[in-house]
Every structure is written in structure tokens, then in C-alpha cells.
Amino acid sequence: MQKDKPSITKVVKDLIMSKPAIRECMILDIVNYSALARLLLEELESKGIKTSTGAVKMALIRLGGELKKERESLERQIKNVIARTVIELQSDLTVVTVEKRVLLNRIERLSKIMEKARFFQLTQGVETFTIVVSSEEKEEIIKILREGIVDIIEEQTAIILISPDEIIETPGIVAFVTSALSSNGVNITQVISCHKDTIFVLDRRVAPKAYQILEELILKMRKA
């Protein structure tokens, strides 16, 4: 039995979803649908899909409407989460990256530091662990893990965003916040997610600027 051919609407949607730049232009409603339909028609015909410019254009118009509604809904969700987020800051931190095997062998000794440290975050990678720790514990950490240390970054600050439960099921929050920072020239050393907390570790020299950007973003979402 011959398999049913996909509808032109689905074919066009699959094609657009593989082209992020065009998809974004459709969401912003800055696309000439007739010109885009002619462009896509050539691509579809090269794949052996026979249709017409009019059919492609109609599929694009329907898809554009769907994409705009999805974006509006997502933006409302993001705004709601950001508006109810609070911001905290932890200064004078050190980031230590260490080989996994070494840290695992010293985990009991590290747990004692974890209990008393002002700030302690442990993140596992494929071959390494990264510790973000208050600098007053730095020397003890280095002493315990010395032969396994891969990298040390000092003079760091953590900006902690504490969000409502909805952040767990709302896509795009981290992308939204990191975009606000990157567009203002702020580099992030580490991004850590811990349940409802999102932690950005940055060089202490850019931390005041980053804090101001994020605080203003939260206030703007509350007023909007």
C-alpha cells in the first residue's frame, strides 16, 4: 500500500522550521510572502514535490499566524516568570575545575567544606567537575584536589535569580536572560541551574553592570 504523501502545509512547515532566520522574520511579520513562496517553490520542486506558488503562499500565511500566536504566548509566560523573580548576589568566589577521578576520591573531605562554606556549587561534566566556592575556602579546596586541578578562575561573582515554580516548565527563560547580558557585552563564566535558581557566575568587574541589567529587566517586566 502506498504511503500517503504529506500535505503541502506540513511540507512547508517542516521547511520553514529548518530555517531559523526566515522563521523569525515571519514572526516579526517582515516577510514578503509572495517572494518567499516563489523561493520555496524552487526548493520543493528540486525535491520532486509538485505544487503551486499560490498553495505555498497560503501555507506560509497560515504558518505565520500560528508562529506569531505561539511567540506571543511564550513571551507572556516568560514575562510572568521574570516579573516574579528576585535577584541576589554572592561576591568573592573562585571557580575550580578538577578531574572527575580525583574529586570522587576526595568527596568525603569536600562534603565537610560544603557544609561550612558561604557559597558552594558543584557541577559534573563528562570528564571534570567544576566547583564554584567562596574564596575563603579556596586554599583548602586546592590543597585537597591539587593534582587533579585543570583550571582556576578567581575574582568571580555569582548573580542568583530565584524564580517561581513556573520556570521549570517555561522554555526560553535562560536564553532570554543570557541574551540581555550578551547584547550588553557581558561575558558569563558559568551558568548553573538548580531547581528554581539560575546562577550566573561572572568576573567581579562586570558583575555590577550585569546586576543592573538584570534588575532593570525584572522591574520592566513587573511594570509592563
Side-chain angles (χ1 to χ4, degrees):
M1 184 175 179
Q2 187 176 8
K3 193 174 182 180
D4 291 339
K5 292 182 180 180
S7 68
I8 189 61
T9 299
K10 185 178 187 310
V11 170
V12 169
K13 182 175 182 177
D14 290 344
L15 196 56
I16 291 299
M17 298 307 284
S18 69
K19 301 178 184 295
I22 293 178
R23 185 173 73 244
E24 191 65 23
C25 288
M26 290 175 65
I27 291 170
L28 296 175
D29 201 19
I30 54 174
V31 167
N32 181 320
Y33 282 109
S34 295
L36 180 57
R38 290 193 295 271
L39 180 67
L40 295 184
L41 184 63
E42 295 179 7
E43 187 170 345
L44 293 172
E45 289 179 343
S46 70
K47 297 179 179 180
I49 299 172
K50 299 297 182 182
T51 185
S52 66
T53 304
V56 175
K57 181 179 178 180
M58 288 304 300
L60 286 170
I61 292 172
R62 285 194 295 270
L63 178 58
E66 292 174 8
L67 291 174
K68 280 184 277 188
K69 286 181 181 178
E70 289 174 4
R71 174 63 63 85
E72 288 169 0
S73 174
L74 179 58
E75 287 179 347
R76 283 195 298 270
Q77 293 176 57
I78 291 173
K79 173 187 169 183
N80 180 52
V81 171
I82 296 294
R84 293 188 291 139
T85 292
V86 295
I87 186 169
E88 293 185 359
L89 186 144
Q90 284 279 346
S91 60
D92 198 16
L93 306 177
T94 299
V95 179
V96 181
T97 301
V98 60
E99 294 175 4
K100 184 183 292 185
R101 59 176 181 82
V102 173
L103 186 143
L104 290 174
N105 288 332
R106 318 286 163 80
I107 193 68
E108 187 174 346
R109 295 169 66 184
L110 282 175
S111 65
K112 294 178 181 178
I113 298 176
M114 192 183 306
E115 290 175 4
K116 67 177 183 177
R118 169 174 56 84
F119 187 90
F120 192 105
Q121 280 287 336
L122 179 65
T123 306
Q124 180 177 344
V126 176
E127 297 180 349
T128 60
F129 281 93
T130 294
I131 301 170
V132 184
V133 64
S134 43
S135 292
E136 53 265 32
E137 316 296 342
K138 176 187 68 176
E139 295 304 326
E140 192 172 357
I141 291 284
I142 292 174
K143 183 178 179 181
I144 293 172
L145 303 171
R146 185 176 301 277
E147 71 271 25
I149 291 176
V150 175
D151 189 31
I152 298 176
I153 306 174
E154 300 184 87
E155 298 187 343
Q156 300 292 292
T157 294
I159 296 176
I160 306 163
L161 301 182
I162 305 167
S163 302
D165 291 340
E166 287 85 350
I167 190 174
I168 297 169
E169 297 181 352
T170 303
I173 299 290
V174 174
F176 183 75
V177 174
T178 54
S179 176
L181 293 174
S182 63
S183 63
N184 284 279
V186 175
N187 182 56
I188 303 169
T189 305
Q190 296 280 327
V191 180
I192 305 165
S193 177
C194 184
H195 192 44
K196 297 185 293 181
D197 299 349
T198 307
I199 304 167
F200 299 99
V201 182
L202 319 98
D203 187 288
R204 69 169 184 81
R205 288 175 286 271
V206 301
K209 178 181 179 181
Y211 187 95
Q212 182 180 7
I213 291 167
L214 297 181
E215 184 179 48
E216 289 178 354
L217 181 65
I218 291 169
L219 292 174
K220 182 179 179 181
M221 293 298 102
R222 289 176 182 173
K223 293 176 181 178

